[in-house]
Amino acid sequence: MTKPLIEALKGKAQPTAPVWLMRQAGRYLPEYRELRKECGGFLDLCYNPDKASEVTMQPIRRFGMDGAIVFSDILVVPHALGQKVEFLEGEGPKLDPIRQVEDLRRLTRDKFHEHLAPVYETLRQVRSKLANEKFDNTALIGFSGAPWTLACYMVDGGSSRDFIHTKTWAYSDPNGFGDLMDLLCECIVDYLSAQVQAGAEAVQLFDSWAGILDHTMFSRWVIRPTRKIVEGFRELHPDIPFIGFPRGCGRLALDYAQNSKVSALSLDPQTAPKWAANVYQNLMPVQGNMDPVCLLSGGLTMQSAAEDILVHLGKGPFVFNLGHGVIKETPPEHVEELVQMIRDWK
Ligand code: 1CP
C-alpha cells in the first residue's frame, strides 16, 4: 500500500501535501497532560509502550496526520549507553557530563538494545493501532538525535545556548571527540535499523544544534557523521526514506543537502520557501517549515505563512511540517485549522 508521506519522501509530488508536525504529541494536548500525570517521570513515559503508543496516537486521532512519530526522546540513546540522564520537572534534561576521552569508558553498548526494547515495542504497538483504527494513510516515523546534537547534551550535561564544553572538546581534541562521535554513529545505525524492524516506515535524524558550528566543524561533525549513518542504514534498508534536519545552519544546509546523502531535507523557519523550492527541492524532497510561533499565534498570520509555503513548495515533492517543534502553549484548534487548510489547498 502506498502512503502519501512515504511517496512524497521518495520524490513523488502529492496532490495534497502530506502533513505531520514535530512534537505533535506533547504538552499542548490536554489528553497528553492527562496521561502524563499517571506516569511519574518523563523517561518512565518514554519506556512505557502502552502509554507511549497511546500518546503517539493522540494527534493522529485528533487531526488525522499523515505521519505518526514514535513518542520517545533523543536522550534515550545516551541513557542506553549507560550515561545518567534525568528530566527534572520544568528544567529540561540533566546528564552526568562526559568531558574527555577517559570518560568514554563510562559508556557501554552491552545493554543498548535491551534498554531500548520498550521503544521498539512502542513502534510495534503503534503500527497495530494504526492498522486497527484504519489510519491507512498514516506512516510511522522513527527517529534519533544526530551524533553532534547528542554529543552536545552528553558533553555539556544539559540544555545550553552555546554548548561551549562540547565545542571546546571538539576543537582541542578532535581525535578523542571523534571516538565519541564514531561510537554514536554506529549506535545510531543500529538504533534506526531496529526501529525499522519494529515497524518504522521512514526515519528522521534531528540535528537541532547543527547551527552552532563554523563551516569546517560543520563538515566534520555534522555532514560526515550523517553520511556515515545514512550509508550504514541504506545497506540494511535501501527503500526506507531518511529525513535529515540540520537546524539553524543557514546556507550550510546546501552543503548538507549535497553531501550528507539524506533522502529528504527538513527545513527550519529561516529558509524562505521560494528559495527552498529553487535550491533544495531541485535536489531532493523537502519538509517544513512554518515558524512554530506562527502556529501558536494562529489566525491570518498563520494562514498566509501556510499559503506562502504551499504556493512555493506544494508543487514538488513536499511534506508540510513546522520548522521546529510545536510549542506547549499552542491551542490545538490552531493545529486543526492548519491541517484543514492544507487538505483544502488547491
Ligand atoms: O514533560 C514533558 O512532557 C517533557 C517535554 C518533552 C517531550 C514531549 C521532551 C523533553 N521531549 C519530548 C518528546 C520528544 N522529543 C519527541 C517526541 C515525538 C514528537 O515529536 O511528538 C521528539 C521527536 C523529541 C526530540 C528531541 N528531544 C530533540 C530534537 C528536536 C528538537 O526539539 O530540537 C531534542 C533537542 C530533545 C531534548 C529534549 N527533550 C525534552 C527537552 C525539554 C529537551 C531539551 C530541549 C532543549 O535543549 O531546548
Side-chain angles (χ1 to χ4, degrees):
M1 193 182 39
T2 58
K3 300 187 180 186
L5 173 66
I6 303 302
E7 293 299 293
L9 292 173
K10 288 185 173 175
K12 290 177 216 115
Q14 301 297 297
T16 301
V19 54
W20 69 280
L21 305 179
M22 292 188 251
R23 295 267 177 114
Q24 63 189 13
R27 281 175 295 183
Y28 77 105
L29 290 178
E31 57 270 38
Y32 172 84
R33 294 194 298 267
E34 207 41 51
L35 195 142
R36 177 82 166 73
K37 281 193 217 149
E38 303 165 13
C39 293
F42 171 68
L43 281 175
D44 297 322
L45 172 56
C46 293
Y47 297 130
N48 182 327
D50 295 342
K51 293 207 163 76
S53 63
E54 273 305 291
V55 170
T56 307
M57 290 301 292
Q58 287 173 346
I60 314 306
R61 293 184 187 128
R62 222 186 229 264
F63 312 113
M65 299 292 188
D66 295 285
I69 182 157
V70 61
F71 191 83
S72 179
D73 195 80
I74 61 166
L75 299 178
V76 297
V77 165
H79 203 212
L81 289 171
Q83 189 169 13
K84 188 171 172 204
V85 178
E86 289 178 302
F87 282 89
L88 306 174
E89 212 46 60
E91 278 188 51
K94 285 267 168 304
L95 296 83
D96 209 3
I98 286 167
R99 294 272 162 88
Q100 54 197 347
V101 74
E102 292 78 39
D103 295 342
L104 295 178
R105 278 191 243 121
R106 303 206 319 252
L107 303 178
T108 165
R109 291 173 73 171
D110 291 353
K111 298 210 168 129
F112 188 73
H113 287 303
E114 197 183 311
H115 184 103
L116 294 166
V119 178
Y120 310 145
E121 177 56 22
T122 303
L123 285 151
R124 280 189 285 271
Q125 289 197 20
V126 176
R127 266 310 275 272
S128 72
K129 285 180 186 184
L130 288 171
N132 292 340
E133 297 176 35
K134 308 265 180 294
F135 289 110
D136 297 327
N137 278 338
T138 304
L140 180 55
I141 305 164
F143 73 89
S144 173
W148 170 253
T149 290
L150 289 180
C152 282
Y153 289 97
M154 294 172 80
V155 176
D156 267 77
S159 298
S160 161
R161 230 172 347 105
D162 45 17
F163 293 97
I164 202 89
H165 294 286
T166 315
K167 284 178 77 168
T168 307
W169 187 10
Y171 273 117
S172 61
D173 173 25
N175 291 333
F177 183 74
D179 289 348
L180 171 61
M181 295 294 277
D182 287 344
L183 171 71
L184 289 171
C185 285
E186 286 175 22
C187 291
I188 291 166
V189 172
D190 284 358
Y191 182 44
L192 291 174
S193 172
Q195 291 187 54
V196 171
Q197 283 163 0
E201 299 165 276
V203 296
Q204 176 154 325
L205 194 67
F206 288 90
D207 222 340
S208 305
W209 300 108
I212 64 173
L213 293 173
D214 72 28
H215 67 284
T216 312
M217 301 269 276
F218 184 85
S219 297
R220 177 138 188 201
W221 304 121
V222 172
I223 295 179
R224 218 202 281 174
T226 301
R227 188 172 59 229
K228 224 165 114 178
I229 291 168
V230 176
E231 284 171 348
F233 178 83
R234 284 259 162 74
E235 271 180 36
L236 305 166
H237 307 287
D239 294 329
I240 301 286
F242 194 113
I243 310 162
F245 178 44
R247 187 172 74 93
C249 63
R251 137 85 188 76
L252 291 174
L254 182 57
D255 292 0
Y256 183 97
Q258 287 169 329
N259 298 306
S260 70
K261 303 209 172 168
V262 297
S263 37
L265 185 68
S266 198
L267 301 170
D268 58 32
Q270 282 71 41
T271 319
K274 185 176 180 185
W275 191 79
N278 291 329
V279 178
Y280 296 126
Q281 212 172 27
N282 281 327
L283 298 172
M284 59 179 60
V286 299
Q287 170 176 283
N289 71 339
M290 186 189 268
D291 184 346
V293 182
C294 200
L295 177 63
L296 170 83
S297 309
L300 289 176
T301 327
M302 176 182 90
Q303 288 173 18
S304 64
E307 194 174 304
D308 184 39
I309 293 170
L310 287 162
V311 164
H312 291 110
L313 292 166
K315 290 187 221 73
F318 172 61
V319 174
F320 199 104
N321 205 318
L322 299 178
H324 200 193
V326 178
I327 296 168
K328 76 169 191 296
E329 290 79 10
T330 305
E333 300 72 42
H334 293 184
V335 177
E336 198 174 328
E337 190 186 333
L338 174 66
V339 171
Q340 196 54 51
M341 188 183 160
I342 297 164
R343 301 267 191 252
D344 293 344
W345 179 260
K346 292 271 176 311

